[in-house]
Amino acid sequence: MTQALTLARPYARAAFSIAREAGAFAQWSDALAFSARVAADPQVAGLLGHPRLDDADAVALLSPGGDGAGQAFADFLALLAENRRLALLPEIAGQFEQLRADAERIVRARVTSASELPAGELEGIRAALKKRFGREVELETAVDEALIGGAVIAAGDVVIDGSLRGKLARLQSALAS
């Protein structure tokens, strides 16, 4: 586990706790996602470490604007700025989303296939994953022609490689032994 993930964990848990108490998971998700994207920008990342950028300006730079998560989110950003942890926003946002998914009993899965899958097939995959995990499933899809055929499904720590490329690699490995 990287040091950034370790440092981000208590902040993600604090953000999650605040969002849960306010019943504002969606607003905090959106606000954290925005701030994380901005903080991850190479030009902004250089600015965040600059000694002449004061905390208020850093918070203003990373705030999503509008009501969103409100003053509580601005206070959270101010705390991160005060502790020199604004660069951790991408890790904090990622951990927040994991905590939210666990609380809402949702599994996020990525289906990468060699070609675009029809909606019926995706629903079949969703139903199978729901049965396996006993949770609601959110699917994200991607196309990678290098898979040749089939698909690779990644859900949490579980990876199911049903691609033709994967089968060929396993066959090659078996023949080489």
Side-chain angles (χ1 to χ4, degrees):
M1 182 169 299
T2 68
Q3 183 179 3
L5 289 175
T6 302
L7 292 171
R9 184 178 300 118
Y11 294 103
R13 286 181 179 158
F16 177 78
S17 178
I18 295 166
R20 182 180 53 217
E21 287 175 20
F25 282 144
Q27 294 88 342
W28 273 77
S29 285
D30 292 345
L32 278 168
F34 173 85
S35 297
R37 279 192 309 273
V38 173
D41 181 273
Q43 290 180 316
V44 174
L47 276 175
L48 291 178
H50 197 282
R52 293 183 60 190
L53 179 70
D54 67 22
D55 291 352
D57 289 337
V59 169
L61 178 66
L62 296 170
S63 292
D67 281 341
Q71 186 58 44
F73 187 74
D75 293 343
F76 178 74
L77 287 178
L79 177 70
L80 291 176
E82 182 181 318
N83 293 326
R84 302 282 175 236
R85 299 290 191 234
L86 288 171
L88 294 176
L89 274 164
E91 289 82 7
I92 293 168
Q95 289 187 25
F96 178 91
E97 290 304 319
Q98 288 175 343
L99 292 167
R100 179 182 177 193
D102 286 345
E104 294 177 338
R105 300 200 41 80
I106 295 173
V107 173
R108 289 184 174 87
R110 181 177 179 91
V111 179
T112 306
S113 57
S115 61
E116 195 72 32
L117 293 176
E121 235 176 287
L122 288 173
E123 283 308 311
I125 291 169
R126 182 188 321 273
L129 290 173
K130 182 177 180 178
K131 183 177 179 183
R132 179 173 182 168
F133 292 109
R135 295 175 171 218
E136 289 300 315
V137 177
E138 287 183 3
L139 289 182
E140 175 186 333
T141 61
V143 174
D144 181 359
E145 294 176 0
L147 294 178
I148 305 170
V152 176
I153 302 168
D157 295 338
V158 176
V159 176
I160 303 165
D161 187 348
S163 70
L164 189 52
R165 179 177 71 185
K167 290 177 184 176
L168 289 172
R170 288 188 294 278
L171 178 61
Q172 181 180 22
S173 176
L175 291 174
S177 340

